[in-house]
Amino acid sequence: MVTSSAERRGDAHDRLLVRLLEAFDGELPSPEVSLREVAARAETSHALLRYHFGSLAGVLAAMLVEQRSRDNETLVKAAEHSTFDDLVVAIWRAYTRPEQLARVRGFFHVVGLAAYSPGDFQEFVDSLDDLTAMLASLAEREGRDPKDAVSLATVTVAAIRGLLLQQVLTPATHSQDAVALILRMSRG
């Protein structure tokens, strides 16, 4: 079993988060289920979830932050010996696997909620730049000016997220061509 650094700290909030992640086996609960249903699956009380996360949306946001953190750890390891383009393809493949569809949908659900109330989702909002930082670091390592590297990474992440949203809303869309365009843009 993979554990997070949060579990090793022993904090009740973080232990509960680990329990949620294990109960949902890498997936996200649907925003259509109740907090009571989530609590039952995690074998805890809904009052405890409400105390630590505030609401179902808070549970979803916390789970996404942790899941994305774990994803990023894997992507960072892959990036050590990769190019910018390799990492873009790895990110795309990681989030377009069929088993990731619920998480991608959950991501956009929480993004929508955070757009209306960013203060309620601060940890989630703060985590949104993680991929950008990784890509910018690679672009810089490949010789780009630091400012250009950040701009390229920002546009690339925005394009990936836009393509993911398009794929969620219109699954028949052929996004691979757009990913190839992103890679051509990165080459200048």
Side-chain angles (χ1 to χ4, degrees):
M1 173 181 80
V2 176
T3 59
S4 71
S5 59
E7 184 179 32
R8 289 187 294 275
R9 283 196 310 259
D11 180 75
H13 173 276
D14 294 336
R15 286 192 314 269
L16 186 55
L17 180 57
V18 169
R19 178 183 266 182
L20 286 163
L21 292 166
E22 289 172 354
F24 285 90
D25 196 30
E27 293 194 15
L28 230 80
S30 167
E32 297 168 358
V33 301
S34 71
L35 196 58
R36 286 183 190 275
E37 291 171 300
V38 172
R41 185 156 171 189
E43 298 178 354
T44 189
S45 74
H46 77 284
L48 197 56
L49 292 180
R50 187 167 305 284
Y51 175 79
H52 285 286
F53 302 103
S55 64
L56 177 61
V59 168
L60 295 174
M63 289 177 73
L64 274 168
V65 167
E66 182 63 25
Q67 289 170 331
R68 291 176 55 246
S69 175
R70 292 175 182 187
D71 293 344
N72 289 346
E73 287 176 19
T74 302
L75 290 167
V76 163
K77 288 177 186 169
E80 289 175 5
H81 305 290
S82 299
T83 65
F84 181 92
D85 289 359
D86 292 338
L87 185 56
V88 169
V89 170
I91 292 167
W92 181 252
R93 287 184 179 150
Y95 290 110
T96 56
R97 294 188 321 253
E99 64 270 17
Q100 292 288 2
L101 183 59
R103 274 185 51 198
V104 171
R105 283 186 176 137
F107 173 81
F108 287 112
H109 175 75
V110 174
V111 164
L113 295 171
Y116 285 99
S117 186
D120 292 342
F121 298 91
Q122 198 59 56
E123 184 180 11
F124 175 77
V125 170
D126 291 344
S127 75
L128 291 176
D129 288 332
D130 293 349
L131 285 178
T132 303
M134 278 193 285
L135 284 167
S137 176
L138 267 178
E140 210 173 320
R141 186 173 82 190
E142 291 178 0
R144 292 220 183 236
D145 170 77
K147 186 177 177 185
D148 290 343
V150 170
S151 294
L152 175 62
T154 301
V155 169
T156 300
V157 170
I160 289 171
R161 288 182 178 149
L163 292 171
L164 286 171
L165 180 59
Q166 183 179 34
Q167 198 166 54
V168 165
L169 297 175
T170 55
T173 305
H174 300 289
S175 300
Q176 279 307 122
D177 295 338
V179 172
L181 178 60
I182 291 170
L183 296 177
R184 283 196 307 273
M185 286 182 349
S186 76
R187 294 180 199 114

